[in-house]
Amino acid sequence: MTRDSAATTDRDTADRLGTEICALAGHIAAATARFLTLVARFDETRGWTGPGLHSCAHWLSWKCGLSQHTGREYVRVAKALTTLPNMRAAFEEGRLSYSKVRSLTRVATRLNDKQMVRLGTSAPSGQIDRLVAGLRKATSDDQGKPKLDRFETRWHWDPDTGDFVFRGRLAAQDGAKVLAALTNAERDRTRTTEAAGEPEEPQEPQAANTVRRPLRDIGPALVAMADIVAVATDAGKHSRSAEVVFLREEKVVRVSGGPALEDADADEVLCDARVRAATTKQGCMLSLGRRTRITSAKQMTALMYRDGCCRTPGCGRTRFLHAHHVRFWRAGGKTDLDNLIMLCGTCHRALHRDEFMITAIGEQQFEFRLRGGSVMEPAPPSVGFADRLLIGEIADDAIVPDWGGDALRLNHAVSVILDGWAA
């Protein structure tokens, strides 16, 4: 086979793959449209209600394996589509992707439904996002509505590495304060004995609130600043959530509510950390038996570190929790950790109304069952019908926009659209 013929074969294969990918993208869009139609109907009829469930998004998180943020967004889009027949039809035909619909529903109304569909089918998703952002900004300014606060920070534990991950955005004035504090913390962190006796450098009045050399790696300084705050504050006046607590469980040490630590890191924190033992029955009056019905402060501390939230599958609430006797006190249940579990007020009431039941199975493990006897699973396995995605008359290129590669002139586009809305 010659080089030219091999290149032609590779090109044909790539074209076939591209066509199939676009076709499947259209089918996925159509299936998602059907999914959201069902979600809207399900939410309207409140079919999601049940023990420990707070919303349709919560049900989707439990039953469909979605994050609650994704579930809330699905519900929002599903509700919006009920008033946008043209957009829903284009979505069901595979001509609009979910990403485009998600953006367009933020500005689409009954009056501009057709116009938004035309935009969605003629521009790529990136331009749609920019255009919608521009329209929201312009309409917020015109109508005096409060803008969404973009200055926020978020954090999470990385499930793969166990690292603490945070990201966010602050206003310029707040950022300057943080940089100044980090610079001071870094200076104290790296101070040596030689520099300890040297006088502080005089600071120019006009530069009092500025950072001369912003730090590139703020991680060490951030940890140092946290150490400074931890030492400076009186821990006795703060809630348990403000403490730095590590739990020792058998042969591992982990962050409370977070991942296990490497051996070297565990040795480091055990030298100078407040450690709470996960095995809490030794050295504390935690097994009160039948002497009292009320849980002690030490028991509540142990329960909070063991459970951390309402234990009802799919609930997860962390505030206003109750210590529940699994075997009721009036039925001879003991006040100890093998018979106590944390429930939120809603789930606690549902349990006493016989909507579900809890059984202690030993070693502080518990089983939840519905009224009919079936086990309540936190994330039941989903059963799909993938082959049905390909059923229907969805064109192979339905999802491909009619875009010629032109750049988006955002200000002009927003102005034209707003003029059309005002007409």
Side-chain angles (χ1 to χ4, degrees):
M1 180 181 294
T2 64
R3 182 178 300 177
D4 291 343
S5 60
T8 301
T9 300
D10 291 343
R11 183 67 264 170
D12 292 341
T13 300
D15 289 342
R16 286 196 299 271
L17 290 174
T19 299
E20 186 173 358
I21 290 172
C22 290
L24 286 173
H27 285 288
I28 290 172
T32 305
R34 173 61 178 166
F35 172 76
L36 293 184
T37 299
L38 297 178
V39 167
R41 191 182 308 166
F42 191 66
D43 184 53
E44 183 180 1
T45 59
R46 296 182 62 83
W48 49 268
T49 54
L53 294 171
H54 313 312
S55 64
C56 186
H58 194 180
W59 186 91
L60 290 171
S61 176
W62 176 29
K63 291 290 188 178
C64 301
L66 307 176
S67 69
Q68 288 214 35
H69 172 76
T70 302
R72 286 192 293 269
E73 193 68 359
Y74 274 156
V75 173
R76 180 192 68 80
V77 175
K79 289 182 177 179
L81 287 173
T82 59
T83 62
L84 303 170
N86 295 286
M87 187 172 297
R88 185 174 67 250
F91 197 14
E92 292 173 347
E93 294 167 2
R95 296 190 292 123
L96 288 177
S97 67
Y98 172 70
S99 295
K100 291 182 178 181
V101 171
R102 181 181 58 190
S103 291
L104 291 171
T105 49
R106 298 187 184 279
V107 294
T109 65
R110 291 180 181 271
L111 298 178
N112 63 25
D113 184 15
K114 292 183 178 180
Q115 182 187 31
M116 293 297 99
V117 172
R118 288 197 299 270
L119 289 173
T121 56
S122 61
S125 183
Q127 290 191 2
I128 294 296
D129 290 340
R130 290 178 56 203
L131 186 61
V132 168
L135 288 170
R136 296 185 73 191
K137 180 179 180 180
T139 53
S140 295
D141 291 343
D142 292 342
Q143 300 174 10
K145 297 178 181 178
K147 297 180 181 179
L148 294 177
D149 186 6
R150 69 179 187 278
F151 303 122
E152 62 179 3
T153 57
R154 297 181 181 274
W155 64 269
H156 67 274
W157 300 105
D158 189 319
D160 297 325
T161 64
D163 296 335
F164 179 78
V165 181
F166 63 95
R167 60 178 301 177
R169 184 188 299 268
L170 296 174
Q173 63 272 25
D174 294 331
K177 293 178 183 178
V178 171
L179 278 178
L182 287 171
T183 300
N184 291 333
E186 180 68 8
R187 182 182 59 194
D188 288 342
R189 186 184 74 86
T190 57
R191 186 184 295 275
T192 62
T193 55
E194 289 79 4
E198 297 179 1
E200 294 286 341
E201 296 181 3
Q203 194 171 30
E204 300 177 6
Q206 66 271 19
N209 295 323
T210 61
V211 180
R212 294 180 180 178
R213 289 179 297 176
L215 301 172
R216 291 187 177 180
D217 181 9
I218 66 172
L222 190 62
V223 175
M225 191 162 64
D227 288 336
I228 293 171
V229 174
V231 172
T233 56
D234 182 4
K237 296 180 181 179
H238 294 277
S239 64
R240 180 185 65 81
S241 61
E243 299 174 350
V244 180
V245 179
F246 301 92
L247 301 180
R248 189 172 191 173
E249 299 174 339
E250 297 181 355
K251 296 182 179 180
V252 301
V253 175
R254 67 177 178 85
V255 178
S256 177
L261 302 180
E262 299 287 344
D263 291 341
D265 295 333
D267 292 338
E268 176 189 344
V269 301
L270 289 176
C271 288
D272 189 27
R274 179 179 180 183
V275 179
R276 293 191 187 273
T279 304
T280 52
K281 292 186 178 181
Q282 296 180 357
C284 296
M285 286 295 295
L286 295 177
S287 224
L288 302 183
R290 292 289 298 173
R291 284 181 291 174
T292 177
R293 181 179 61 84
I294 306 300
T295 54
S296 69
K298 290 182 178 179
Q299 282 181 315
M300 290 299 294
T301 299
L303 285 171
M304 286 303 300
Y305 277 112
R306 186 194 72 184
D307 296 345
C309 64
C310 176
R311 288 284 298 275
T312 304
C315 182
R317 283 181 174 172
T318 58
R319 301 295 300 275
F320 307 109
L321 302 180
H322 305 167
H324 168 69
H325 289 73
V326 175
R327 184 181 181 188
F328 295 171
W329 171 263
R330 57 179 170 77
K334 296 181 178 181
T335 305
D336 57 43
L337 294 185
D338 288 332
N339 192 49
L340 292 172
I341 194 169
M342 300 302 286
L343 298 177
C344 70
T346 301
C347 294
H348 201 180
R349 177 170 297 178
L351 181 139
H352 282 282
R353 290 179 176 178
D354 295 328
E355 294 182 15
F356 66 95
M357 63 189 71
I358 307 175
T359 304
I361 56 179
E363 297 298 326
Q364 300 182 21
Q365 300 297 313
F366 305 93
E367 185 178 68
F368 288 72
R369 289 185 178 272
L370 295 171
R371 182 183 299 173
S374 59
V375 176
M376 293 176 63
E377 298 289 348
S382 59
V383 179
F385 302 94
D387 291 343
R388 295 186 181 179
L389 292 176
L390 301 179
I391 299 176
E393 299 298 330
I394 306 297
D396 290 346
D397 59 349
I399 201 73
V400 180
D402 300 326
W403 180 53
D406 298 331
L408 174 65
R409 294 191 296 165
L410 182 60
N411 292 336
H412 175 72
V414 169
S415 178
V416 170
I417 291 174
L418 292 177
D419 289 343
W421 291 356

